[in-house]
Amino acid sequence: MDFLTELKARAALVDRALDELLPPEDTYPPVIHQAIRYSLFAGGKRLRPVLALAAAETVGGDPARVLPAACALELIHTYSLIHDDLPAMDNDDFRRGKPTCHRVYGEAVAILAGDALLTHAFALLAKNAQNRLAPAERVVQVIEEVAAAAGTLGLIGGQVVDTLAADTAVDAATLEYIHRHKTGALYRVAVRAGAILAGAKEKQLEALTIYAENLGLAFQIQDDILDVEGDPARLGKPVGSDERNKKATYPALFGLDVARAKAGEAVAAALAALEPFDERADFLRELVRFVITRDF
């Protein structure tokens, strides 16, 4: 498998679906729809929606039937980035090589664009039942899990602890909590959502959950490493923002060598979780290897 070619093809599928599922940018009031599309189509690897599609495929489902849910996860991810970049949070001026949403549209519109993306995500999740793409009980379970993953027990909880931890000494347990919630929760629910909607058996779901949790941890550790030694041109944003903002990171707490080792351990655990699956899980296998070798 040429993994990057396959990733781009799957990301393009998600992009086409996102374009169809969102209001056009000239929908009144146009500024909010322009801001939404500006951030959503500013680039990005589309890993969360692609994970949902791949998880469905791994358990024998049709990835096309989980596309609305996959797109919902990308809306939630984009909302979190818009809010993350705000002056009250990380105060970043660039994202994916372009000015951040609040730098282009102002803070008020950026906040509302994030709110709108989060809200619209749940409309897309419901489409999986409305269009008879999956049984209603599976859709309800996914909606509940996505709400938890995006809320105070997931992404927001991780963001709160990360924000409060700035300028303080953070231990390993707190750092892991931040990473598993702020970043890992959406990876976990992306895999689970795709698998649940495709009718995964309980044992399959358990194994895929372990995979996703370790994938998310490896991804965030690599993000931390790239913020120290990455190429700004490849990353599309300046490096060193974690240190400037005094964020808790694996390199800051353990050093680069130990951080790399921990990322490698997470990848090994993710791959071990996929051992019960056949070749339909090969994309997931290549994805977790990509996570710690990427430079963007």
Side-chain angles (χ1 to χ4, degrees), residues 106-173:
E107 288 183 47
V109 170
I111 291 168
L112 292 170
D115 294 345
L117 284 163
L118 178 60
T119 303
H120 195 63
F122 287 92
L124 295 191
L125 289 171
K127 279 186 179 294
N128 282 84
Q130 293 169 354
N131 297 342
R132 301 185 185 278
L133 297 176
E137 61 271 19
R138 292 183 196 166
V139 177
V140 170
Q141 181 182 351
V142 166
I143 289 173
E144 182 180 9
E145 292 203 12
V146 170
T152 57
L153 300 181
L155 187 156
I156 290 175
Q159 182 68 68
V160 168
V161 176
D162 187 32
T163 301
L164 297 179
D167 291 326
T168 65
V170 170
D171 60 20

Side-chain angles (χ1 to χ4, degrees), residues 19 30 37 46-47 53 118 134 180 185 205 239 241 262 268:
D19 185 46
R37 284 176 171 269
R46 306 303 195 211
L47 292 184
L53 302 179
L118 178 60
R180 288 195 180 278
L205 191 58
V239 298
S241 63
K262 287 183 175 294

